[in-house]
Each structure stands twice: as C-alpha cells, then as structure tokens.
Amino acid sequence: MKKVLILANDNSTIYNFRRELLGRLREEGYEVFVSVPPHQRNAVFEKMGCRVLQTDISRKGTNPLKEWLVYREYLRLLRDVRPDVALTYTIKPNIYGSLACRKMGIPYINNVTGLGSMLQRENIISKFFIFLQKLAFRKSYCVFFQNSSNMRYFKEKKAIGDRAALLPGSGVNLDLHKFCPYPPEEGGIRFIVVSRLRYDKGYEELFRAIELLNERIKGIAEFHIVGWIEERAYETRLRELEKRLPIVYHGEISQEEVHELIASSHCLIHPSHHEGMSNVMMEAAAAGRPLIASDIPGCREIIDVNQTGFTFQVKSAEALAGVIERFLSLSMPEREKMGRKGHMKMAKYFDRRIVVDAYIEKIAAICQRTETTENVTV
C-alpha cells in the first residue's frame, strides 16, 4: 500500500479544507499519515482511517533552536513512515518538510497558500525566508499556487522552476456550502466577517468603516464577526466596540455553524490585506451571498465586480464604507441576483473536486514513477 504523509502547521488547514482529499486518498487505497499539532479535532482524521502524528510546531515562532527541532522532527517522521510522497502546506512545513524530504530522497508536493505576513515587507527576515524556500522548492515535484500573483512573485524571486501550477485556491465543498435562499431583510441588513482577529485581516479599516457608517445611517445594518482572537489587543477592543456600535461577536465556532451564520446574512465582508485565495469568500459565494472585499490577489479572482459583489481599495476605511453604502442602496432583488451569480461562478470554477483531482493525478504519477524505478532496479 502506497503511503502519503501530510505536513501542516495547523489542524484547521486540514480539517476545514483538505478532508475531501484525505477521504479520496483513502478511497484510492493509500495509507495516509497526517502530521499536525495536538488538537481534539484530530480524532476526525483517525475516524477517516488516517494515522495522526501529533507534531509541535509554532505558526509564528522564530526561535532558531525550536525551528531546528521542527526540522529534526520531520526527519524522524520521514524515517519512521517512509512515505512514497509528502504533501506540505503553509510556510514552515513547506520549508522544513521539503528540506527533510530532500535529505531523505522522498518526493514531495508543496502548496503556497499565500505570501504570509513575513513576506509582506522587504527586510532581512523576508529575504532569509525566500532563500530557504528556494532551497525547499528546488527539488519539488510540483509547487501548487492559489493565485497567479503569488506564483509570479516567486518566479521573480527565482524561487521556483518550471514545476509550478495554479489551483482555484483550496476550492469549496459545494455539498457543505449549499446554495441557500436569500434571507428576508426585515430588521436590517446583516453583514458577516469571518477571519482571525489580527491587524492584517483588515479589522482596523473595518471598525473605522462601521464607525463612519454609524454616523451616517444608523439602524440600517448589523455587523457579525466570527473568528478567534489572534492578537490579544482586539479582545478588549471588541468588548468596547460592541457597546457602542452595531457589532455582534460570535467567537470561534465550527465550520457548520459558520455556514448557518452566512446563510442568515445578506453579504460577506473580507477586508484582508493579503490572501492566497480566500476560503470564506468562496464559501459565502457558494451559499449565494454577495461579497465585499479588498481589491487584492486572492480576493479579486473570486468576485466579478458589480456582478457578484464589490471590491475596494485595500487598507482604506473610507473606500470600504463607500462600497457598503453602495450595497445598501441596492434593492433586495438586485442583492439576491448578485448572490445567485456568485454561486454559479463557484460551481463552475471553484469546486473543491477540481483541487482534489489535481492532487490525485500528481500523487499517482509519483507513485507510478517510483514503481517503475523499483522494477527496473529489481
């Protein structure tokens, strides 16, 4: 039985966006190993027939000793599992996992889910991480990118060769995120924001835009926020804002509960500063909800401007407030029509099965090549 090892720095990366791939791999007869940090939801992977290898890895840590230990742990996993192919997601597994695979002579496939905050500035740290990624990607069987801008960035940095390919992000599960009838608008318009609470997700612009709107048009709209607080300063900030603005904070909830909240909302707002390909935007569009998002790579591909939603100048609270006002000026049939068009676009171009099929094809090719090599050797 062929073995596939998956390396990720966060349970949600696999749980929310790659369970369909795990299921397909098991159906195809692969033995699947998942290396993720400890989490109660890891039991879901075990129920699917996967083996979970709990691995401590910090998403943002920069302690050199701890980073070296992650690399050493990946080497140990590779020696123990001896996978036929490894799949890596996000920056640290992409780097340390790939370097470990290179050392062990194990084929690997990378997925660049976005540039990340480290690469948003030109400094010595970003240059160092680009250097590491050059080393990591040099022997990759394939580097998947979620938008053409990110792929172009890495090509300009000469960090990737010819083995790069584009995917429609992580795709969207159209069975889980079904089209839902547009909700009634009695009681006001409900906007929803779903993302971790931190600066580069655009919360400063969002809060300022809500303040501006509250001064101009009170009582028309309500803003629901979902996500775990990654930067603790927002904890106190949110409590204060909820007292004086039409904001409702729901905390961190399950993917299924997020879908229900999206279904009861009239529009999703995503003011992020950078993205690979926004998963929540795909999910909201699949459910038939119009979108308002920053005009950046990873968001603009999902929106057909004026057809399925609106974009605005990134980091501009005034611009965000302006497009929200524009959305509020539409009639209910116009908003509903936007949502239907968004759902049709997701079904045609962003179905998660497209992503799963691309992975299965690459993994099968690697395993077939390995079998051929082994037969020739014998």
Side-chain angles (χ1 to χ4, degrees):
M1 184 182 290
K2 296 296 183 181
K3 300 177 182 177
V4 177
L5 172 62
I6 295 172
L7 305 176
N9 69 359
D10 181 64
N11 169 282
S12 63
T13 296
I14 307 301
Y15 181 85
N16 290 337
F17 312 123
R18 274 102 200 172
R19 272 181 293 169
E20 297 84 356
L21 175 59
L22 301 188
R24 178 75 178 279
L25 286 168
R26 293 294 296 135
E27 288 174 9
E28 298 277 341
Y30 292 95
E31 190 174 2
V32 180
F33 299 78
V34 183
S35 167
V36 286
H39 196 287
Q40 61 186 19
R41 287 190 306 202
N42 290 345
V44 173
F45 307 144
E46 294 173 338
K47 288 179 181 177
M48 296 175 69
C50 305
R51 286 187 57 189
V52 176
L53 309 169
Q54 298 195 140
T55 310
D56 285 319
I57 177 171
S58 167
R59 292 177 61 248
K60 286 194 167 184
T62 55
N63 182 298
L65 176 59
K66 289 184 178 179
E67 302 303 287
W68 171 251
L69 290 176
V70 172
Y71 168 71
R72 296 293 298 176
E73 177 64 9
Y74 280 159
L75 280 176
R76 186 190 67 78
L77 290 179
L78 291 167
R79 290 192 187 101
D80 290 347
V81 174
R82 290 287 174 179
D84 294 277
V85 58
L87 313 180
T88 72
Y89 295 93
T90 67
I91 188 167
K92 288 187 180 182
N94 276 346
I95 292 172
Y96 307 139
S98 298
L99 294 176
C101 285
R102 282 188 61 178
K103 183 175 179 64
M104 297 291 294
I106 292 169
Y108 57 97
I109 297 171
N110 308 110
N111 190 307
V112 177
T113 55
L115 296 184
S117 55
M118 288 183 187
L119 301 183
Q120 296 304 309
R121 295 177 293 276
E122 287 288 339
N123 55 32
I124 191 167
I125 295 176
S126 66
K127 289 178 181 177
F128 178 63
F129 270 92
I130 284 293
F131 169 73
L132 288 178
Q133 285 176 96
K134 283 183 182 179
L135 294 179
F137 295 156
R138 187 171 294 164
K139 297 294 184 179
S140 177
Y141 185 82
C142 180
V143 183
F144 281 126
F145 287 87
Q146 300 200 351
N147 68 64
S148 58
S149 177
N150 286 177
M151 188 163 74
R152 186 165 57 251
Y153 173 89
F154 276 87
K155 283 186 175 179
E156 288 171 355
K157 298 292 183 182
K158 294 181 170 49
I160 54 172
D162 297 329
R163 291 184 173 178
L166 274 177
L167 291 175
S170 300
V172 60
N173 184 325
L174 296 169
D175 294 323
L176 176 59
H177 301 285
K178 292 182 172 69
F179 179 83
C180 300
Y182 204 65
E185 297 183 349
E186 291 81 2
I189 303 299
R190 292 181 297 279
F191 293 94
I192 187 166
V193 183
V194 183
S195 70
R196 300 188 300 276
L197 275 89
R198 68 185 200 199
Y199 173 77
D200 63 354
K201 288 299 182 181
Y203 276 99
E204 294 302 317
E205 297 80 46
L206 174 70
F207 294 150
R208 179 56 185 153
I210 295 173
E211 286 178 329
L212 292 171
L213 289 164
N214 199 50
E215 293 168 5
R216 300 171 191 169
I217 45 172
K218 278 192 176 183
I220 294 179
E222 192 172 62
F223 298 84
H224 293 254
I225 294 174
V226 177
W228 60 282
I229 298 174
E230 190 165 333
E231 294 178 3
R232 304 316 305 178
Y234 283 117
E235 192 167 354
T236 304
R237 184 93 175 277
L238 261 179
R239 283 199 297 266
E240 185 272 326
L241 289 171
E242 279 188 291
K243 293 175 183 176
R244 61 184 182 85
L245 294 174
I247 290 175
V248 180
Y249 177 54
H250 296 268
E252 184 182 9
I253 58 179
S254 72
Q255 196 177 32
E256 291 74 16
E257 290 172 305
V258 169
H259 176 72
E260 293 304 315
L261 276 176
I262 287 173
S264 66
S265 300
H266 299 97
C267 179
L268 178 123
I269 299 175
H270 196 64
S272 182
H273 297 175
H274 56 87
E275 289 290 335
M277 190 70 74
S278 170
N279 290 294
V280 72
M281 286 177 62
M282 289 187 282
E283 291 166 3
R289 298 300 172 262
L291 308 171
I292 291 175
S294 306
D295 186 13
I296 58 170
C299 290
R300 65 169 70 109
E301 293 88 344
I302 300 170
I303 296 180
D304 290 337
V305 177
N306 299 328
Q307 298 296 312
T308 68
F310 303 110
T311 58
F312 65 93
Q313 182 184 345
V314 64
K315 300 182 183 180
S316 172
E318 281 284 356
L320 174 54
V323 294
I324 292 174
E325 284 186 293
R326 186 176 175 189
F327 180 81
L328 290 170
S329 72
L330 299 175
S331 67
M332 180 175 173
E334 287 174 320
R335 289 193 277 260
E336 189 174 11
K337 185 178 179 182
M338 273 189 162
R340 288 189 176 278
K341 285 185 175 181
H343 171 78
M344 291 168 64
K345 180 171 183 175
M346 293 304 104
K348 186 173 183 179
Y349 298 110
F350 290 87
D351 189 330
R352 186 162 290 166
R353 284 174 290 193
I354 298 170
V355 178
V356 172
D357 286 346
Y359 265 100
I360 294 298
E361 181 182 342
K362 297 292 184 185
I363 292 166
I366 289 172
C367 291
Q368 186 175 25
R369 186 184 65 175
T370 304
E371 279 183 359
T372 302
T373 304
E374 289 173 350
N375 290 336
V376 170
T377 304
V378 173

mmCIF file of all heavy atoms in Angstrom, residues 121-147:
data_model
loop_
_atom_site.group_PDB
_atom_site.id
_atom_site.type_symbol
_atom_site.label_atom_id
_atom_site.label_comp_id
_atom_site.label_asym_id
_atom_site.label_seq_id
_atom_site.Cartn_x
_atom_site.Cartn_y
_atom_site.Cartn_z
ATOM 1 N N ARG A 121 6.872 42.478 3.683
ATOM 2 C CA ARG A 121 7.850 43.583 3.756
ATOM 3 C C ARG A 121 9.198 43.099 3.238
ATOM 4 O O ARG A 121 9.564 41.934 3.432
ATOM 5 C CB ARG A 121 7.996 44.065 5.202
ATOM 6 C CG ARG A 121 6.732 44.696 5.753
ATOM 7 C CD ARG A 121 6.907 45.101 7.210
ATOM 8 N NE ARG A 121 7.068 43.942 8.074
ATOM 9 C CZ ARG A 121 6.051 43.243 8.563
ATOM 10 N NH1 ARG A 121 4.808 43.580 8.293
ATOM 11 N NH2 ARG A 121 6.281 42.204 9.345
ATOM 12 N N GLU A 122 9.931 43.993 2.603
ATOM 13 C CA GLU A 122 11.279 43.681 2.137
ATOM 14 C C GLU A 122 12.254 43.974 3.273
ATOM 15 O O GLU A 122 12.616 45.112 3.532
ATOM 16 C CB GLU A 122 11.629 44.521 0.898
ATOM 17 C CG GLU A 122 10.916 44.101 -0.372
ATOM 18 C CD GLU A 122 11.443 42.778 -0.937
ATOM 19 O OE1 GLU A 122 12.586 42.412 -0.594
ATOM 20 O OE2 GLU A 122 10.713 42.128 -1.695
ATOM 21 N N ASN A 123 12.672 42.933 3.984
ATOM 22 C CA ASN A 123 13.664 43.093 5.039
ATOM 23 C C ASN A 123 14.504 41.829 5.111
ATOM 24 O O ASN A 123 14.326 40.898 4.322
ATOM 25 C CB ASN A 123 12.982 43.407 6.391
ATOM 26 C CG ASN A 123 11.947 42.354 6.771
ATOM 27 O OD1 ASN A 123 12.084 41.175 6.452
ATOM 28 N ND2 ASN A 123 10.896 42.779 7.457
ATOM 29 N N ILE A 124 15.404 41.794 6.059
ATOM 30 C CA ILE A 124 16.334 40.664 6.134
ATOM 31 C C ILE A 124 15.620 39.356 6.440
ATOM 32 O O ILE A 124 16.001 38.289 5.952
ATOM 33 C CB ILE A 124 17.444 40.948 7.186
ATOM 34 C CG1 ILE A 124 18.539 39.895 7.054
ATOM 35 C CG2 ILE A 124 16.853 40.988 8.608
ATOM 36 C CD1 ILE A 124 19.804 40.252 7.816
ATOM 37 N N ILE A 125 14.522 39.425 7.215
ATOM 38 C CA ILE A 125 13.776 38.203 7.535
ATOM 39 C C ILE A 125 13.086 37.650 6.300
ATOM 40 O O ILE A 125 13.149 36.442 6.016
ATOM 41 C CB ILE A 125 12.742 38.476 8.660
ATOM 42 C CG1 ILE A 125 13.462 38.836 9.965
ATOM 43 C CG2 ILE A 125 11.830 37.258 8.864
ATOM 44 C CD1 ILE A 125 12.530 39.223 11.090
ATOM 45 N N SER A 126 12.435 38.526 5.525
ATOM 46 C CA SER A 126 11.756 38.055 4.314
ATOM 47 C C SER A 126 12.764 37.502 3.310
ATOM 48 O O SER A 126 12.506 36.492 2.648
ATOM 49 C CB SER A 126 10.938 39.187 3.690
ATOM 50 O OG SER A 126 11.765 40.217 3.208
ATOM 51 N N LYS A 127 13.928 38.141 3.193
ATOM 52 C CA LYS A 127 14.957 37.652 2.269
ATOM 53 C C LYS A 127 15.467 36.278 2.694
ATOM 54 O O LYS A 127 15.725 35.407 1.857
ATOM 55 C CB LYS A 127 16.107 38.653 2.191
ATOM 56 C CG LYS A 127 15.747 39.935 1.448
ATOM 57 C CD LYS A 127 16.901 40.919 1.440
ATOM 58 C CE LYS A 127 16.501 42.201 0.711
ATOM 59 N NZ LYS A 127 17.579 43.209 0.735
ATOM 60 N N PHE A 128 15.590 36.096 4.009
ATOM 61 C CA PHE A 128 16.051 34.803 4.516
ATOM 62 C C PHE A 128 15.033 33.711 4.214
ATOM 63 O O PHE A 128 15.399 32.604 3.777
ATOM 64 C CB PHE A 128 16.299 34.899 6.027
ATOM 65 C CG PHE A 128 16.732 33.608 6.653
ATOM 66 C CD1 PHE A 128 17.925 32.998 6.297
ATOM 67 C CD2 PHE A 128 15.945 32.986 7.622
ATOM 68 C CE1 PHE A 128 18.328 31.803 6.869
ATOM 69 C CE2 PHE A 128 16.333 31.787 8.198
ATOM 70 C CZ PHE A 128 17.533 31.194 7.823
ATOM 71 N N PHE A 129 13.739 34.012 4.409
ATOM 72 C CA PHE A 129 12.709 33.004 4.144
ATOM 73 C C PHE A 129 12.594 32.711 2.647
ATOM 74 O O PHE A 129 12.304 31.585 2.257
ATOM 75 C CB PHE A 129 11.368 33.439 4.736
ATOM 76 C CG PHE A 129 11.174 32.979 6.144
ATOM 77 C CD1 PHE A 129 11.550 33.778 7.214
ATOM 78 C CD2 PHE A 129 10.651 31.729 6.423
ATOM 79 C CE1 PHE A 129 11.401 33.345 8.519
ATOM 80 C CE2 PHE A 129 10.488 31.285 7.723
ATOM 81 C CZ PHE A 129 10.874 32.091 8.779
ATOM 82 N N ILE A 130 12.800 33.710 1.799
ATOM 83 C CA ILE A 130 12.818 33.457 0.354
ATOM 84 C C ILE A 130 13.973 32.523 0.007
ATOM 85 O O ILE A 130 13.833 31.586 -0.790
ATOM 86 C CB ILE A 130 12.927 34.778 -0.429
ATOM 87 C CG1 ILE A 130 11.583 35.496 -0.442
ATOM 88 C CG2 ILE A 130 13.389 34.527 -1.855
ATOM 89 C CD1 ILE A 130 10.499 34.782 -1.233
ATOM 90 N N PHE A 131 15.140 32.770 0.612
ATOM 91 C CA PHE A 131 16.301 31.909 0.383
ATOM 92 C C PHE A 131 15.996 30.466 0.777
ATOM 93 O O PHE A 131 16.286 29.523 0.035
ATOM 94 C CB PHE A 131 17.505 32.434 1.171
ATOM 95 C CG PHE A 131 18.663 31.480 1.220
ATOM 96 C CD1 PHE A 131 19.446 31.262 0.088
ATOM 97 C CD2 PHE A 131 18.959 30.780 2.389
ATOM 98 C CE1 PHE A 131 20.511 30.358 0.126
ATOM 99 C CE2 PHE A 131 20.018 29.885 2.426
ATOM 100 C CZ PHE A 131 20.795 29.672 1.298
ATOM 101 N N LEU A 132 15.356 30.305 1.959
ATOM 102 C CA LEU A 132 15.010 28.957 2.409
ATOM 103 C C LEU A 132 14.011 28.289 1.468
ATOM 104 O O LEU A 132 14.105 27.080 1.196
ATOM 105 C CB LEU A 132 14.430 29.012 3.827
ATOM 106 C CG LEU A 132 15.394 29.316 4.970
ATOM 107 C CD1 LEU A 132 14.637 29.386 6.295
ATOM 108 C CD2 LEU A 132 16.505 28.283 5.061
ATOM 109 N N GLN A 133 13.070 29.076 0.957
ATOM 110 C CA GLN A 133 12.078 28.498 0.050
ATOM 111 C C GLN A 133 12.694 28.138 -1.304
ATOM 112 O O GLN A 133 12.271 27.178 -1.942
ATOM 113 C CB GLN A 133 10.893 29.457 -0.101
ATOM 114 C CG GLN A 133 10.018 29.437 1.149
ATOM 115 C CD GLN A 133 8.885 30.421 1.113
ATOM 116 O OE1 GLN A 133 7.756 30.088 0.764
ATOM 117 N NE2 GLN A 133 9.179 31.661 1.476
ATOM 118 N N LYS A 134 13.692 28.881 -1.718
ATOM 119 C CA LYS A 134 14.418 28.492 -2.931
ATOM 120 C C LYS A 134 15.018 27.100 -2.752
ATOM 121 O O LYS A 134 14.918 26.236 -3.638
ATOM 122 C CB LYS A 134 15.540 29.496 -3.225
ATOM 123 C CG LYS A 134 15.097 30.800 -3.844
ATOM 124 C CD LYS A 134 16.310 31.663 -4.146
ATOM 125 C CE LYS A 134 15.892 33.010 -4.716
ATOM 126 N NZ LYS A 134 17.065 33.869 -5.004
ATOM 127 N N LEU A 135 15.660 26.880 -1.608
ATOM 128 C CA LEU A 135 16.236 25.569 -1.325
ATOM 129 C C LEU A 135 15.150 24.501 -1.257
ATOM 130 O O LEU A 135 15.317 23.387 -1.758
ATOM 131 C CB LEU A 135 16.997 25.613 0.000
ATOM 132 C CG LEU A 135 18.250 26.499 0.074
ATOM 133 C CD1 LEU A 135 18.851 26.443 1.472
ATOM 134 C CD2 LEU A 135 19.279 26.070 -0.965
ATOM 135 N N ALA A 136 14.047 24.861 -0.611
ATOM 136 C CA ALA A 136 12.973 23.886 -0.409
ATOM 137 C C ALA A 136 12.300 23.483 -1.713
ATOM 138 O O ALA A 136 12.026 22.294 -1.948
ATOM 139 C CB ALA A 136 11.942 24.468 0.553
ATOM 140 N N PHE A 137 12.010 24.449 -2.566
ATOM 141 C CA PHE A 137 11.231 24.184 -3.772
ATOM 142 C C PHE A 137 12.066 23.648 -4.935
ATOM 143 O O PHE A 137 11.514 23.207 -5.937
ATOM 144 C CB PHE A 137 10.511 25.456 -4.226
ATOM 145 C CG PHE A 137 9.460 25.953 -3.254
ATOM 146 C CD1 PHE A 137 9.079 27.282 -3.254
ATOM 147 C CD2 PHE A 137 8.867 25.096 -2.354
ATOM 148 C CE1 PHE A 137 8.114 27.748 -2.367
ATOM 149 C CE2 PHE A 137 7.905 25.544 -1.458
ATOM 150 C CZ PHE A 137 7.529 26.874 -1.470
ATOM 151 N N ARG A 138 13.385 23.696 -4.796
ATOM 152 C CA ARG A 138 14.263 23.333 -5.916
ATOM 153 C C ARG A 138 14.012 21.916 -6.418
ATOM 154 O O ARG A 138 14.050 21.649 -7.613
ATOM 155 C CB ARG A 138 15.727 23.502 -5.496
ATOM 156 C CG ARG A 138 16.726 23.317 -6.634
ATOM 157 C CD ARG A 138 18.111 23.713 -6.190
ATOM 158 N NE ARG A 138 18.191 25.147 -5.897
ATOM 159 C CZ ARG A 138 19.186 25.711 -5.210
ATOM 160 N NH1 ARG A 138 20.161 24.970 -4.728
ATOM 161 N NH2 ARG A 138 19.200 27.010 -5.010
ATOM 162 N N LYS A 139 13.722 20.990 -5.515
ATOM 163 C CA LYS A 139 13.528 19.597 -5.899
ATOM 164 C C LYS A 139 12.063 19.158 -5.803
ATOM 165 O O LYS A 139 11.762 17.967 -5.849
ATOM 166 C CB LYS A 139 14.391 18.685 -5.008
ATOM 167 C CG LYS A 139 15.889 18.907 -5.151
ATOM 168 C CD LYS A 139 16.389 18.509 -6.538
ATOM 169 C CE LYS A 139 17.903 18.635 -6.625
ATOM 170 N NZ LYS A 139 18.412 18.238 -7.967
ATOM 171 N N SER A 140 11.159 20.101 -5.669
ATOM 172 C CA SER A 140 9.743 19.765 -5.529
ATOM 173 C C SER A 140 9.204 19.149 -6.817
ATOM 174 O O SER A 140 9.529 19.594 -7.921
ATOM 175 C CB SER A 140 8.944 21.032 -5.191
ATOM 176 O OG SER A 140 7.566 20.757 -5.125
ATOM 177 N N TYR A 141 8.358 18.138 -6.656
ATOM 178 C CA TYR A 141 7.703 17.560 -7.836
ATOM 179 C C TYR A 141 6.723 18.563 -8.438
ATOM 180 O O TYR A 141 6.590 18.667 -9.646
ATOM 181 C CB TYR A 141 6.968 16.275 -7.456
ATOM 182 C CG TYR A 141 6.371 15.561 -8.647
ATOM 183 C CD1 TYR A 141 7.154 14.726 -9.437
ATOM 184 C CD2 TYR A 141 5.034 15.744 -8.990
ATOM 185 C CE1 TYR A 141 6.611 14.081 -10.547
ATOM 186 C CE2 TYR A 141 4.485 15.116 -10.096
ATOM 187 C CZ TYR A 141 5.278 14.288 -10.870
ATOM 188 O OH TYR A 141 4.741 13.666 -11.974
ATOM 189 N N CYS A 142 6.056 19.319 -7.574
ATOM 190 C CA CYS A 142 5.140 20.361 -8.026
ATOM 191 C C CYS A 142 4.915 21.347 -6.879
ATOM 192 O O CYS A 142 4.748 20.938 -5.729
ATOM 193 C CB CYS A 142 3.807 19.768 -8.465
ATOM 194 S SG CYS A 142 2.605 21.007 -9.034
ATOM 195 N N VAL A 143 4.913 22.639 -7.219
ATOM 196 C CA VAL A 143 4.540 23.672 -6.256
ATOM 197 C C VAL A 143 3.201 24.246 -6.710
ATOM 198 O O VAL A 143 3.113 24.899 -7.749
ATOM 199 C CB VAL A 143 5.588 24.793 -6.166
ATOM 200 C CG1 VAL A 143 5.184 25.806 -5.091
ATOM 201 C CG2 VAL A 143 6.971 24.231 -5.860
ATOM 202 N N PHE A 144 2.149 23.964 -5.943
ATOM 203 C CA PHE A 144 0.828 24.498 -6.253
ATOM 204 C C PHE A 144 0.689 25.905 -5.665
ATOM 205 O O PHE A 144 1.044 26.145 -4.506
ATOM 206 C CB PHE A 144 -0.273 23.611 -5.671
ATOM 207 C CG PHE A 144 -0.565 22.370 -6.459
ATOM 208 C CD1 PHE A 144 -0.535 21.124 -5.847
ATOM 209 C CD2 PHE A 144 -0.892 22.442 -7.810
ATOM 210 C CE1 PHE A 144 -0.826 19.973 -6.567
ATOM 211 C CE2 PHE A 144 -1.178 21.295 -8.541
ATOM 212 C CZ PHE A 144 -1.141 20.063 -7.922
ATOM 213 N N PHE A 145 0.157 26.808 -6.472
ATOM 214 C CA PHE A 145 -0.145 28.165 -6.017
ATOM 215 C C PHE A 145 -1.644 28.397 -6.094
ATOM 216 O O PHE A 145 -2.343 27.801 -6.914
ATOM 217 C CB PHE A 145 0.588 29.205 -6.871
ATOM 218 C CG PHE A 145 2.060 29.272 -6.594
ATOM 219 C CD1 PHE A 145 2.949 28.437 -7.255
ATOM 220 C CD2 PHE A 145 2.567 30.170 -5.658
ATOM 221 C CE1 PHE A 145 4.307 28.488 -6.987
ATOM 222 C CE2 PHE A 145 3.925 30.226 -5.391
ATOM 223 C CZ PHE A 145 4.797 29.382 -6.058
ATOM 224 N N GLN A 146 -2.123 29.321 -5.230
ATOM 225 C CA GLN A 146 -3.552 29.585 -5.177
ATOM 226 C C GLN A 146 -3.956 30.822 -5.954
ATOM 227 O O GLN A 146 -5.147 31.051 -6.166
ATOM 228 C CB GLN A 146 -3.997 29.684 -3.716
ATOM 229 C CG GLN A 146 -3.725 28.397 -2.957
ATOM 230 C CD GLN A 146 -4.554 28.249 -1.703
ATOM 231 O OE1 GLN A 146 -5.229 29.167 -1.265
ATOM 232 N NE2 GLN A 146 -4.514 27.077 -1.110
ATOM 233 N N ASN A 147 -2.984 31.633 -6.370
ATOM 234 C CA ASN A 147 -3.303 32.727 -7.292
ATOM 235 C C ASN A 147 -2.069 33.064 -8.123
ATOM 236 O O ASN A 147 -0.930 32.786 -7.723
ATOM 237 C CB ASN A 147 -3.855 33.963 -6.552
ATOM 238 C CG ASN A 147 -2.826 34.656 -5.681
ATOM 239 O OD1 ASN A 147 -1.829 35.173 -6.168
ATOM 240 N ND2 ASN A 147 -3.076 34.673 -4.369
#
